[in-house]
Every structure is written in structure tokens, then in C-alpha cells.
Amino acid sequence: YAIGEGQRIVGTHDFAASPPEVDQVPKVGSFFDVSIEKIVELKPDLVSIWFGSSVPALENAGQKVFYLSEPEDIDGISERMRLWGKITGSVQAGEDAAKRFESRIEELRGRIASLEQGPRIFHDTSAGFWTTGPDTLVGQVYDLLKAQNIAHDVSGYAQLSREVIVERDPELIITAYPDLQQAYYDDPALRDVSAVREKRIETIDPDIISVAGPRFADAIEQLARLIYPDLLQ
């Protein structure tokens, strides 16, 4: 859609929510449980998939499958735009979209260039204090923004204990789930954590932070404004 080729999409997964036009596209299952029958009925020229479990079944059903896992870093997002420009024959549109994405990142990088170090942050990904390590895409965003991820010793996704959160004392807690926000304030074990005491528990739109596409630049900018509200209005 970002490169003007949305009309090519004949099917997608149940959770696709953006842009609004995608609501009219037939749904063929969830992230990890697609309906092979529905996909075959749609007669696609190419099935793009980012998890490997369904690849054998799709290929056995005669489908041409393009299996590529999600980008591992921020640069990989813009490179995917260029890749899809080549796949669809809209090379220039892919290049333009990639450059727009990259320019937004560079502009933000320039605006915080004078900062040496940002606040301590706990990024809450789900109930139970699950969080992201520095080697994840979200973890790399915090590096870009010079924030101190208190899960600095985590690889991938892991669960932190209350004791660790208290010990590392985040100054800002960010969650993609607004209903978890009040749970921090109501938890007596966390009442002395700086973010709780100063009421700095913020939410971010889960739709933009969880998808490694063009709108991920929106997520980075939104996180930057949450971390540096006085600098980035």
C-alpha cells in the first residue's frame, strides 16, 4: 500500500488493520494458522509469509511461496520497501518510500544528537512483565533514542521479576496495553519505582509498534516524544 500497489493484495491475515482499505481484503487466517484452502481459492501469484511453519503445506498445495522473516533491525525496514518495489515492478516508488522512512529517522537522530543519555526505561510487552532485549527491533529503537533499557541483559523477549524492576528503577514505563497501566499503580511492590511514583507510565499504539513497516517511523517518533516530552513537542 505504501508504494501504491495495494490492489495486488488478494488475501491477508485476520489482524491486518491498516490502511482502511485492507478491511475489504479477504482474510485467510491468523499469523501462524492460515487456511491453505482459502489461499488456493484466491489463486495468488505469490504468497508472502514471515513464519516458516506453513511453508511446506503451501508449497505442497502448489503455491509459490516467498518466505522472509521480519526485519531484524531498523535499516531492514526500509530495505524491505525497496525489495517490494522490485518485486512489484514499482522500483522508484519503493525507493521513494524507503527514503521517506530513512529521512524521518535521520531527522529524529539529529534532534537528539546533543543528548548524552536518556532515562531508564522498562518496555512492557504484555501482562507478567514481559519485555524486549536490546537485540530486538524495539530494543534497537531505545538504543537509537539513547534511552537506557533496564532489560539490557535480556536476549529477545523475557520476563522480569518485580524484584529486578524495583532494583533497576525505571524512570519511565511504556506499555502497548492501556489496561496494564493501572496495574502498576495498584501494585504495592512497585510503589517506590520512580516511574510509578512520578506517574510516568505511558502507552503506545500497539498497531504501529508491532509491525515492521512504513508506520514504524510513527512508533519511533511517538516513543521519542514520550521519552523527551520537553525536547520533542
mmCIF file of all heavy atoms in Angstrom, residues 15-37:
data_model
loop_
_atom_site.group_PDB
_atom_site.id
_atom_site.type_symbol
_atom_site.label_atom_id
_atom_site.label_comp_id
_atom_site.label_asym_id
_atom_site.label_seq_id
_atom_site.Cartn_x
_atom_site.Cartn_y
_atom_site.Cartn_z
ATOM 1 N N PHE A 15 -5.434 -10.043 11.438
ATOM 2 C CA PHE A 15 -5.080 -8.895 12.264
ATOM 3 C C PHE A 15 -4.625 -7.679 11.460
ATOM 4 O O PHE A 15 -4.271 -6.656 12.042
ATOM 5 C CB PHE A 15 -3.991 -9.293 13.278
ATOM 6 C CG PHE A 15 -4.423 -10.406 14.183
ATOM 7 C CD1 PHE A 15 -3.987 -11.706 13.972
ATOM 8 C CD2 PHE A 15 -5.288 -10.166 15.232
ATOM 9 C CE1 PHE A 15 -4.405 -12.741 14.793
ATOM 10 C CE2 PHE A 15 -5.707 -11.188 16.066
ATOM 11 C CZ PHE A 15 -5.263 -12.483 15.847
ATOM 12 N N ALA A 16 -4.616 -7.793 10.148
ATOM 13 C CA ALA A 16 -4.243 -6.651 9.320
ATOM 14 C C ALA A 16 -5.282 -5.550 9.495
ATOM 15 O O ALA A 16 -6.470 -5.770 9.267
ATOM 16 C CB ALA A 16 -4.133 -7.064 7.859
ATOM 17 N N ALA A 17 -4.830 -4.347 9.898
ATOM 18 C CA ALA A 17 -5.769 -3.283 10.241
ATOM 19 C C ALA A 17 -5.488 -1.965 9.541
ATOM 20 O O ALA A 17 -6.248 -1.008 9.697
ATOM 21 C CB ALA A 17 -5.753 -3.060 11.755
ATOM 22 N N SER A 18 -4.430 -1.894 8.797
ATOM 23 C CA SER A 18 -4.070 -0.626 8.172
ATOM 24 C C SER A 18 -3.440 -0.891 6.816
ATOM 25 O O SER A 18 -2.700 -1.875 6.650
ATOM 26 C CB SER A 18 -3.091 0.137 9.069
ATOM 27 O OG SER A 18 -2.718 1.360 8.480
ATOM 28 N N PRO A 19 -3.754 -0.004 5.833
ATOM 29 C CA PRO A 19 -4.693 1.121 5.864
ATOM 30 C C PRO A 19 -6.136 0.650 5.842
ATOM 31 O O PRO A 19 -6.390 -0.553 5.741
ATOM 32 C CB PRO A 19 -4.326 1.882 4.584
ATOM 33 C CG PRO A 19 -3.852 0.822 3.649
ATOM 34 C CD PRO A 19 -3.106 -0.161 4.507
ATOM 35 N N PRO A 20 -7.094 1.584 5.919
ATOM 36 C CA PRO A 20 -8.506 1.180 5.975
ATOM 37 C C PRO A 20 -8.942 0.272 4.832
ATOM 38 O O PRO A 20 -9.821 -0.574 5.009
ATOM 39 C CB PRO A 20 -9.250 2.528 5.928
ATOM 40 C CG PRO A 20 -8.288 3.508 6.509
ATOM 41 C CD PRO A 20 -6.934 3.052 6.066
ATOM 42 N N GLU A 21 -8.316 0.419 3.662
ATOM 43 C CA GLU A 21 -8.691 -0.393 2.503
ATOM 44 C C GLU A 21 -8.519 -1.886 2.753
ATOM 45 O O GLU A 21 -9.170 -2.722 2.108
ATOM 46 C CB GLU A 21 -7.853 -0.003 1.284
ATOM 47 C CG GLU A 21 -8.079 1.408 0.793
ATOM 48 C CD GLU A 21 -7.114 2.406 1.421
ATOM 49 O OE1 GLU A 21 -6.772 2.246 2.612
ATOM 50 O OE2 GLU A 21 -6.693 3.349 0.722
ATOM 51 N N VAL A 22 -7.644 -2.231 3.693
ATOM 52 C CA VAL A 22 -7.366 -3.644 3.936
ATOM 53 C C VAL A 22 -8.567 -4.363 4.550
ATOM 54 O O VAL A 22 -8.663 -5.588 4.496
ATOM 55 C CB VAL A 22 -6.113 -3.797 4.833
ATOM 56 C CG1 VAL A 22 -6.452 -3.603 6.303
ATOM 57 C CG2 VAL A 22 -5.460 -5.158 4.632
ATOM 58 N N ASP A 23 -9.516 -3.599 5.093
ATOM 59 C CA ASP A 23 -10.715 -4.221 5.653
ATOM 60 C C ASP A 23 -11.519 -4.956 4.580
ATOM 61 O O ASP A 23 -12.287 -5.867 4.895
ATOM 62 C CB ASP A 23 -11.608 -3.163 6.316
ATOM 63 C CG ASP A 23 -11.005 -2.622 7.603
ATOM 64 O OD1 ASP A 23 -10.107 -3.290 8.158
ATOM 65 O OD2 ASP A 23 -11.422 -1.533 8.044
ATOM 66 N N GLN A 24 -11.356 -4.528 3.329
ATOM 67 C CA GLN A 24 -12.121 -5.140 2.231
ATOM 68 C C GLN A 24 -11.414 -6.363 1.641
ATOM 69 O O GLN A 24 -11.963 -7.017 0.760
ATOM 70 C CB GLN A 24 -12.347 -4.094 1.132
ATOM 71 C CG GLN A 24 -12.981 -2.799 1.620
ATOM 72 C CD GLN A 24 -14.287 -3.025 2.362
ATOM 73 O OE1 GLN A 24 -15.129 -3.805 1.911
ATOM 74 N NE2 GLN A 24 -14.454 -2.350 3.493
ATOM 75 N N VAL A 25 -10.209 -6.648 2.117
ATOM 76 C CA VAL A 25 -9.439 -7.772 1.586
ATOM 77 C C VAL A 25 -9.822 -9.049 2.320
ATOM 78 O O VAL A 25 -9.897 -9.059 3.551
ATOM 79 C CB VAL A 25 -7.925 -7.505 1.745
ATOM 80 C CG1 VAL A 25 -7.116 -8.702 1.249
ATOM 81 C CG2 VAL A 25 -7.522 -6.248 0.970
ATOM 82 N N PRO A 26 -10.066 -10.149 1.616
ATOM 83 C CA PRO A 26 -10.414 -11.407 2.281
ATOM 84 C C PRO A 26 -9.341 -11.842 3.285
ATOM 85 O O PRO A 26 -8.140 -11.703 3.033
ATOM 86 C CB PRO A 26 -10.496 -12.402 1.112
ATOM 87 C CG PRO A 26 -10.826 -11.565 -0.077
ATOM 88 C CD PRO A 26 -10.109 -10.261 0.143
ATOM 89 N N LYS A 27 -9.784 -12.369 4.427
ATOM 90 C CA LYS A 27 -8.879 -12.838 5.468
ATOM 91 C C LYS A 27 -8.718 -14.355 5.350
ATOM 92 O O LYS A 27 -9.699 -15.072 5.129
ATOM 93 C CB LYS A 27 -9.407 -12.463 6.854
ATOM 94 C CG LYS A 27 -9.671 -10.961 7.043
ATOM 95 C CD LYS A 27 -8.420 -10.129 6.794
ATOM 96 C CE LYS A 27 -8.626 -8.664 7.176
ATOM 97 N NZ LYS A 27 -9.547 -7.962 6.235
ATOM 98 N N VAL A 28 -7.487 -14.814 5.519
ATOM 99 C CA VAL A 28 -7.197 -16.233 5.304
ATOM 100 C C VAL A 28 -6.622 -16.912 6.549
ATOM 101 O O VAL A 28 -6.009 -17.964 6.455
ATOM 102 C CB VAL A 28 -6.233 -16.425 4.110
ATOM 103 C CG1 VAL A 28 -6.874 -15.942 2.827
ATOM 104 C CG2 VAL A 28 -4.906 -15.711 4.356
ATOM 105 N N GLY A 29 -6.838 -16.310 7.717
ATOM 106 C CA GLY A 29 -6.352 -16.937 8.943
ATOM 107 C C GLY A 29 -5.523 -15.994 9.784
ATOM 108 O O GLY A 29 -5.369 -14.817 9.463
ATOM 109 N N SER A 30 -4.989 -16.524 10.873
ATOM 110 C CA SER A 30 -4.194 -15.717 11.795
ATOM 111 C C SER A 30 -2.726 -15.747 11.387
ATOM 112 O O SER A 30 -2.357 -16.298 10.356
ATOM 113 C CB SER A 30 -4.359 -16.247 13.223
ATOM 114 O OG SER A 30 -3.849 -17.559 13.326
ATOM 115 N N PHE A 31 -1.885 -15.154 12.225
ATOM 116 C CA PHE A 31 -0.457 -15.084 11.926
ATOM 117 C C PHE A 31 0.136 -16.457 11.621
ATOM 118 O O PHE A 31 0.844 -16.651 10.654
ATOM 119 C CB PHE A 31 0.310 -14.481 13.112
ATOM 120 C CG PHE A 31 0.079 -13.012 13.305
ATOM 121 C CD1 PHE A 31 -0.260 -12.521 14.556
ATOM 122 C CD2 PHE A 31 0.205 -12.118 12.257
ATOM 123 C CE1 PHE A 31 -0.470 -11.174 14.758
ATOM 124 C CE2 PHE A 31 0.002 -10.771 12.439
ATOM 125 C CZ PHE A 31 -0.345 -10.296 13.696
ATOM 126 N N PHE A 32 -0.149 -17.421 12.499
ATOM 127 C CA PHE A 32 0.529 -18.707 12.426
ATOM 128 C C PHE A 32 -0.397 -19.869 12.057
ATOM 129 O O PHE A 32 -0.020 -21.021 12.142
ATOM 130 C CB PHE A 32 1.202 -19.008 13.772
ATOM 131 C CG PHE A 32 2.072 -17.887 14.253
ATOM 132 C CD1 PHE A 32 1.725 -17.148 15.380
ATOM 133 C CD2 PHE A 32 3.241 -17.549 13.577
ATOM 134 C CE1 PHE A 32 2.534 -16.106 15.825
ATOM 135 C CE2 PHE A 32 4.042 -16.509 14.013
ATOM 136 C CZ PHE A 32 3.688 -15.785 15.125
ATOM 137 N N ASP A 33 -1.617 -19.548 11.668
ATOM 138 C CA ASP A 33 -2.572 -20.603 11.339
ATOM 139 C C ASP A 33 -3.400 -20.169 10.129
ATOM 140 O O ASP A 33 -4.566 -19.807 10.257
ATOM 141 C CB ASP A 33 -3.471 -20.886 12.549
ATOM 142 C CG ASP A 33 -4.409 -22.061 12.297
ATOM 143 O OD1 ASP A 33 -4.077 -22.906 11.446
ATOM 144 O OD2 ASP A 33 -5.463 -22.116 12.959
ATOM 145 N N VAL A 34 -2.809 -20.225 8.965
ATOM 146 C CA VAL A 34 -3.502 -19.789 7.750
ATOM 147 C C VAL A 34 -4.303 -20.939 7.163
ATOM 148 O O VAL A 34 -4.010 -22.118 7.396
ATOM 149 C CB VAL A 34 -2.504 -19.269 6.690
ATOM 150 C CG1 VAL A 34 -1.756 -18.053 7.208
ATOM 151 C CG2 VAL A 34 -1.533 -20.362 6.270
ATOM 152 N N SER A 35 -5.322 -20.566 6.406
ATOM 153 C CA SER A 35 -6.145 -21.560 5.726
ATOM 154 C C SER A 35 -5.572 -21.799 4.333
ATOM 155 O O SER A 35 -5.661 -20.923 3.467
ATOM 156 C CB SER A 35 -7.596 -21.084 5.631
ATOM 157 O OG SER A 35 -8.336 -21.928 4.769
ATOM 158 N N ILE A 36 -4.983 -22.962 4.138
ATOM 159 C CA ILE A 36 -4.407 -23.295 2.833
ATOM 160 C C ILE A 36 -5.503 -23.297 1.763
ATOM 161 O O ILE A 36 -5.315 -22.806 0.640
ATOM 162 C CB ILE A 36 -3.704 -24.665 2.883
ATOM 163 C CG1 ILE A 36 -2.680 -24.710 4.030
ATOM 164 C CG2 ILE A 36 -3.039 -24.960 1.546
ATOM 165 C CD1 ILE A 36 -1.573 -23.707 3.927
ATOM 166 N N GLU A 37 -6.676 -23.822 2.128
ATOM 167 C CA GLU A 37 -7.784 -23.900 1.173
ATOM 168 C C GLU A 37 -8.204 -22.523 0.675
ATOM 169 O O GLU A 37 -8.426 -22.316 -0.528
ATOM 170 C CB GLU A 37 -8.981 -24.614 1.809
ATOM 171 C CG GLU A 37 -8.751 -26.078 2.120
ATOM 172 C CD GLU A 37 -7.925 -26.293 3.395
ATOM 173 O OE1 GLU A 37 -7.711 -25.310 4.140
ATOM 174 O OE2 GLU A 37 -7.477 -27.429 3.629
#
